[in-house]
């Protein structure tokens, strides 16, 4: 059984008709029907039952489909890995990055580059739950992110923490505003960070507002700090609440104010899978990201 016939079979299954599969495969219908008959002859059983133009998988066909699709996936992954390996000038360092700490990353990039001049650095930016998946499946060496919800399979090293700040276009709030109260927050449209999985500052803030008898106007939420700040830069007349580490480059057009209420700090950690822990690599990264007096992105 060759890979091409496996692909033909999987396409027929996914399209539901030989005629549709032939169009997707850019081939004529009679040769595709012939390939299907050859497969059934080879197995000595029917892979489909026919009902007019529709095809339904038999139990044998269903088993073959799942195995064939898995084989094709592994072949694709292997090809991609071989191509990547062949085109690498040196060993890669695959790092995951939470979108809540892009400024922190940028502030330390040059130091990172100096420490690993021989390595090709690859960065994947994604929500913490996605980075956990990439770590678990061996597609990342380390990740700079909030601590995983379930740490059993991971080693977690604290890097830094950051309080939340309110960011507002200058002129939106009364002159001389100090710490922002819940009541003041409830008067303005809000741009909030929210984790895709788990509970964090978003849920905590809404609970505090609810307990105070206030109705928040949440105009937009996202797991990406940059998206919230870009909306402000485009003229959004409201307040974004983001980690202090991500506010260094905003400039004088915005006011940065602390909150009267206490929200969970953003805990930035270096995370790797226990099975893949490279102590020398971790030590170098921690020295880069945790060294005393390092610029943490707050200016």
């Amino acid at each position: 059984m060759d890979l091409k016939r496996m692909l033909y079979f999987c396409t027929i299954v996914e399209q539901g008709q030989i005629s549709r599969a032939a169009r997707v495969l850019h081939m004529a219908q009679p040769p595709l029907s012939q390939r299907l008959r050859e497969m059934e002859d080879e197995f000595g059983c029917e892979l489909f039952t026919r009902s007019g133009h529709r095809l339904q998988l038999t139990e044998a066909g269903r088993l073959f489909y799942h195995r064939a699709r898995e084989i094709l996936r592994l072949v694709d992954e292997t090809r991609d890995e071989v191509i990547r390996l062949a085109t690498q000038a040196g060993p890669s360092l695959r790092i995951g990055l939470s979108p809540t700490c892009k400024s922190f990353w940028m502030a330390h990039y040059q130091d990172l580059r100096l420490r690993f001049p021989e390595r090709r650095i690859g960065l994947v930016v994604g929500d913490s739950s996605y980075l956990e998946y990439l770590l678990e499946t061996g597609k990342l060496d380390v990740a700079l992110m909030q601590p995983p919800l379930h740490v059993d399979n991971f080693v977690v090293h604290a890097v830094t923490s950051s309080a939340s700040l309110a960011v507002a276009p200058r002129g939106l709030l009364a002159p001389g505003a100090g710490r922002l109260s819940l009541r003041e927050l409830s008067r303005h449209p809000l741009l909030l960070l929210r984790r895709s999985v788990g509970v964090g500052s978003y849920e905590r803030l809404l609970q505090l507002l609810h307990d105070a008898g206030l109705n928040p106007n949440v105009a937009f939420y996202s797991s990406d700090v940059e998206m919230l700040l870009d909306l402000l830069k485009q003229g959004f007349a409201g307040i974004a609440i983001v980690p202090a580490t991500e506010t260094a480059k905003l400039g004088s057009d915005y006011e940065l104010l602390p909150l009267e209420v206490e929200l969970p700090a953003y805990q930035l950690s270096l995370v790797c899978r226990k099975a893949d822990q490279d102590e020398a690599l971790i030590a170098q990264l921690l020295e880069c990201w945790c060294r005393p007096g390092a610029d943490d992105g707050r200016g």
Side-chain angles (χ1 to χ4, degrees):
M1 178 65 64
D2 59 50
L3 293 175
K4 183 173 288 187
R5 286 202 287 173
M6 285 186 185
L7 176 61
Y8 291 166
F9 175 77
C10 290
T11 305
I12 293 171
V13 174
E14 290 155 7
Q15 295 302 314
Q17 293 181 359
I18 293 178
S19 58
R20 290 179 183 172
R23 287 195 294 271
V24 170
L25 293 165
H26 304 291
M27 62 186 297
Q29 183 174 337
L32 184 57
S33 297
Q34 179 62 30
R35 299 292 85 76
L36 177 57
R37 284 194 294 271
E38 291 171 358
M39 282 186 277
E40 291 182 322
D41 289 343
E42 182 175 338
F43 285 119
C45 64
E46 289 190 338
L47 298 174
F48 292 101
T49 57
R50 279 76 172 172
S51 177
H53 294 295
R54 297 293 303 179
L55 299 175
Q56 296 292 329
L57 282 170
T58 63
E59 285 300 315
R62 188 172 294 108
L63 173 63
F64 180 51
Y65 171 71
H66 289 302
R67 297 289 173 82
R69 179 49 69 194
E70 179 66 13
I71 289 169
L72 291 171
R73 183 187 65 80
L74 289 172
V75 168
D76 286 343
E77 288 185 358
T78 301
R79 182 195 62 231
D80 292 345
E81 289 176 6
V82 169
I83 291 172
R84 281 198 297 269
L85 183 62
T87 57
Q88 285 177 359
S92 62
L93 175 55
R94 304 166 301 169
I95 301 176
L97 181 70
S98 168
T100 58
C101 50
K102 290 180 181 176
S103 292
F104 182 93
W105 162 269
M106 292 301 296
H108 293 78
Y109 174 73
Q110 290 302 328
D111 191 5
L112 185 70
R113 183 71 267 164
L114 290 172
R115 290 172 188 270
F116 300 98
E118 78 291 354
R119 301 189 71 165
R120 177 175 296 181
I121 296 174
L123 187 70
V124 175
V125 179
D127 185 82
S128 293
S129 58
Y130 178 57
L131 298 182
E132 287 180 37
Y133 164 75
L134 294 180
L135 286 168
E136 286 180 336
T137 54
K139 293 181 173 63
L140 291 176
D141 298 305
V142 298
L144 192 60
M145 57 186 281
Q146 295 184 61
L149 296 176
H150 306 288
V151 299
D152 294 346
N153 297 327
F154 300 108
V155 180
V156 180
H157 301 272
V159 173
T160 189
S161 63
S162 177
S164 295
L165 283 181
V167 182
R170 194 164 294 281
L172 179 72
L173 303 172
R179 291 180 175 271
L180 287 187
S181 65
L182 288 174
R183 185 165 299 279
E184 184 65 25
L185 286 175
S186 70
R187 295 191 180 111
H188 302 278
L190 300 177
L191 304 174
L192 301 179
L193 275 175
R194 185 179 188 182
R195 295 178 63 146
S196 63
V197 177
V199 175
S201 60
Y202 177 89
E203 289 77 14
R204 171 65 174 162
L205 178 59
L206 294 194
Q207 185 63 53
L208 289 170
L209 287 160
H210 179 266
D211 292 345
L214 300 170
N215 294 317
N217 177 9
V218 180
F220 182 79
Y221 67 80
S222 172
S223 62
D224 191 338
V225 175
E226 191 173 9
M227 180 69 71
L228 305 185
L229 297 180
D230 281 346
L231 288 173
L232 287 181
K233 293 172 184 177
Q234 290 180 12
F236 181 86
I239 297 173
I241 299 178
V242 300
T245 50
E246 298 302 297
T247 62
K249 309 302 181 184
L250 282 174
S252 59
D253 292 334
Y254 303 93
E255 291 186 86
L256 309 180
L257 300 168
L259 306 174
E260 279 189 352
V261 295
E262 183 176 344
L263 296 180
Y266 291 92
Q267 303 292 339
L268 187 57
S269 300
L270 173 59
V271 182
C272 67
R273 192 171 65 164
K274 284 181 179 178
D276 299 330
Q277 183 174 207
D278 181 334
E279 293 185 2
L281 171 64
I282 297 300
Q284 285 185 281
L285 290 172
L286 288 174
E287 187 177 347
C288 171
W289 287 332
C290 299
R291 70 188 192 281
D295 179 8
D296 62 4
R298 284 172 285 190

